[in-house]
Amino acid sequence: MQTKLTAKQQKLLMFLCWLVYTMAYLGRFSYNSNKSVIQEVFALTTADTGLVSSFFFFAYGAGQIINGIFCKFYPKRYVLAGSLILSSVINLAIAFGVPFVAYKWLWLLNGLAQSFLWTSLMLVLGENLDKENLSKAVFVMGTTVAVGTFLSYGSSAIFASTLNFKPVFIIAAGIMTVVAIVWFIFYDKCTLSKEALLQIKNERKLKEEQENQQRIAEGKKAKKKIDANIIIFFVIMCFFAVFCKMTMDGLQEWTPNVLAEVFGMKKNMSILFTLCLPLVGILSSTICIWSRRFIKNIAFLASIYFFITAALILLIIFTLDVSAVPVIIGMSFASMFTHCVNGLLTSIAPLYLRDKVNSGLSSGLFNCFCYVGSTISGYGLGSIALLGWDTMFWLLFGLSIAGMVIGLIYYFVRRLTGATRKDDI
């Protein structure tokens, strides 16, 4: 029985997981990337179009908790392929011209369908990869959001000048269907069997029991499965998730509207310039891995990212009525550093805590709270934008400052209570 994947199998597995989640973004952002076009075609307000996004994010976020708990029981070869197929069908329904009133309900179902993906992918990686490949997995999966968003907005920019958004949904449906077939064919070729995974789990459990017995013999308390520090860490990360994703999605979703309304750009040009956000965001994975070499503590590192994000949002606020160039630059790099925080939460923390907490469960929990922020960013920020775009940016600035302050308080309290400098949490 094979209890360890070959290097080739592990590379194939990382590629498959990257492919599934990246291309799923085509079916996830096919609506968001066309929001400004759809708003004009149907004569809607920002609150109207934002509500559809909020329906998706609500369903997706709720699904993260459910799938985080139950993903260890799923036959992932079938479930993930089925999720992609269902998302494809929903995208085709919009392409075939359903009325706008149905969009929010279709996108609610799309959120549920896509909520199966991330937790299962993180669990598959956590179970099958060697420890030395975790950093590679973090880097690879850290690029999925930026690359998927770039592809989605790029395809939208091609058709935006004609106010024709339906081809984007057709393209998304076709690509996701192909990826579903690829996943179904190759999944068993690059994952361990159930028997091998059970054997590895039993070996880890036996090792933990031996360590506890050793600690008792040395007069120390046995190690608890989940200690108080882990619980507090999870609570802090959930706050980070809400603040980060509300800011990240707020920037990504509403940039085309800001550029069109404030600077008078045409629809296709505003979407084209929005590509700067995911394009720069691709660097976030590299920055995240590089900065972790110098700052191991996740909360402290997230605080630094929040601080930089806040400074960049200030740049946006003070140049909003001056020039589009600094605004686009500020949005792009602010988005990049929110991607860094998102990478810490959804990739680094779940994989590096896999011996303490199930990777699927922890990533599901963090992702759930990420999409609490996303839900607010859709309808909430769309409504706030009616008061003026500067109001929305001041709110995002406040969220970044709040994230920075919470992270610093947590970090220094941990230091004062005896946590070591090398402690990752």
Side-chain angles (χ1 to χ4, degrees):
M1 176 173 44
Q2 183 185 13
T3 57
K4 181 178 179 180
L5 296 177
T6 65
K8 184 177 180 180
Q9 286 176 310
Q10 293 188 53
K11 288 179 181 178
L12 176 59
L13 177 61
M14 285 188 280
F15 172 73
L16 272 180
C17 291
W18 177 89
L19 184 67
V20 166
Y21 204 69
T22 299
M23 298 310 160
Y25 258 81
L26 293 176
R28 179 182 306 186
F29 271 10
S30 48
Y31 173 80
N32 286 352
S33 61
N34 284 285
K35 191 179 289 185
S36 61
V37 176
I38 292 171
Q39 183 175 327
E40 183 172 338
V41 170
F42 290 100
L44 305 167
T45 67
T46 52
D48 294 329
T49 53
L51 183 61
V52 177
S53 298
S54 290
F55 267 58
F56 175 92
F57 293 140
F58 171 78
Y60 188 91
Q64 292 304 295
I65 290 292
I66 298 170
N67 291 309
I69 295 171
F70 294 106
C71 64
K72 61 183 177 181
F73 303 112
Y74 296 159
K76 297 172 185 61
R77 182 187 182 194
Y78 298 93
V79 170
L80 270 65
S83 298
L84 291 172
I85 294 296
L86 178 56
S87 185
S88 298
V89 171
I90 294 167
N91 273 265
L92 283 177
I94 290 183
F96 289 153
V98 297
F100 182 77
V101 69
Y103 278 32
K104 59 181 179 289
W105 303 112
L106 286 171
W107 235 232
L108 181 79
L109 183 58
N110 194 23
L112 289 173
Q114 293 223 359
S115 69
F116 284 88
L117 300 176
W118 183 257
T119 53
S120 292
L121 292 172
M122 294 305 292
L123 182 58
V124 167
L125 291 170
E127 288 179 336
N128 289 276
L129 294 183
D130 295 339
K131 190 173 183 179
E132 54 269 22
N133 280 325
L134 290 182
S135 60
K136 295 179 182 178
V138 167
F139 173 79
V140 169
M141 297 305 290
T143 66
T144 54
V145 176
V147 174
T149 304
F150 179 85
L151 293 174
S152 183
Y153 276 80
S155 60
S156 297
I158 296 173
F159 301 101
S161 61
T162 61
L163 296 180
N164 186 9
F165 57 87
K166 293 179 181 178
V168 178
F169 290 88
I170 295 173
I171 292 170
I175 291 177
M176 286 192 296
T177 300
V178 172
V179 171
I181 295 171
V182 171
W183 171 266
F184 189 82
I185 293 173
F186 289 97
Y187 175 77
D188 284 343
K189 301 180 186 301
C190 56
T191 53
L192 295 170
S193 65
K194 291 181 179 179
E195 293 77 13
L197 291 174
L198 180 61
Q199 181 177 329
I200 293 171
K201 182 179 180 180
N202 290 335
E203 289 174 352
R204 288 178 177 172
K205 185 177 180 180
L206 178 61
K207 183 179 179 181
E208 183 178 348
E209 290 175 352
Q210 291 173 342
E211 289 176 350
N212 279 337
Q213 291 175 359
Q214 181 66 28
R215 289 173 65 86
I216 293 172
E218 294 174 356
K220 301 177 182 178
K221 292 182 179 180
K223 184 179 179 182
K224 296 180 181 179
K225 289 185 177 181
I226 302 180
D227 61 26
N229 289 331
I230 295 293
I231 295 174
I232 295 172
F233 172 77
F234 269 62
V235 172
I236 297 297
M237 292 300 107
C238 289
F239 276 108
F240 282 177
V242 175
F243 299 158
C244 161
K245 208 66 165 72
M246 189 172 173
T247 304
M248 184 169 80
D249 283 351
L251 291 170
Q252 186 66 57
E253 285 186 50
W254 298 113
T255 293
N257 297 69
V258 171
L259 296 179
E261 294 176 20
V262 177
F263 300 104
M265 289 188 184
K266 294 181 179 179
K267 296 297 181 185
N268 61 327
M269 292 304 297
S270 66
I271 295 175
L272 188 62
F273 277 112
T274 302
L275 289 175
C276 293
L277 276 67
L279 188 62
V280 175
I282 294 174
L283 299 174
S284 65
S285 189
T286 301
I287 291 173
C288 216
I289 296 296
W290 175 81
S291 55
R292 276 271 296 170
R293 294 169 57 187
F294 305 98
I295 303 174
K296 294 294 184 182
N297 188 279
I298 292 175
F300 186 65
L301 186 54
S303 295
I304 294 174
Y305 294 152
F306 274 124
F307 170 75
I308 298 172
T309 301
L312 289 164
I313 292 175
L314 273 183
L315 171 65
I316 297 169
I317 292 170
F318 290 129
T319 60
L320 192 58
D321 296 323
V322 179
S323 171
V325 175
V327 170
I328 293 171
I329 292 173
M331 285 179 168
S332 299
F333 284 94
S335 177
M336 181 185 73
F337 282 102
T338 58
H339 274 83
C340 288
V341 178
N342 188 67
L344 288 175
L345 296 172
T346 59
S347 295
I348 289 178
L351 288 178
Y352 280 91
L353 292 173
R354 66 178 183 174
D355 291 334
K356 298 181 177 72
V357 182
N358 176 296
S359 296
L361 177 59
S362 57
S363 64
L365 178 64
F366 295 151
N367 231 2
C368 171
F369 279 89
C370 279
Y371 281 88
V372 169
S374 295
T375 302
I376 298 171
S377 75
Y379 182 74
L381 293 183
S383 299
I384 290 173
L386 297 174
L387 303 175
W389 291 112
D390 56 339
T391 304
M392 185 193 78
F393 286 118
W394 276 115
L395 175 60
L396 298 183
F397 171 78
L399 291 173
S400 298
I401 292 296
M404 178 193 73
V405 171
I406 291 173
L408 290 177
I409 291 173
Y410 171 78
Y411 173 73
F412 285 113
V413 168
R414 290 276 291 154
R415 291 296 306 276
L416 291 173
T417 54
T420 63
R421 188 177 297 274
K422 294 182 179 180
D423 193 347
D424 286 352
I425 63 170

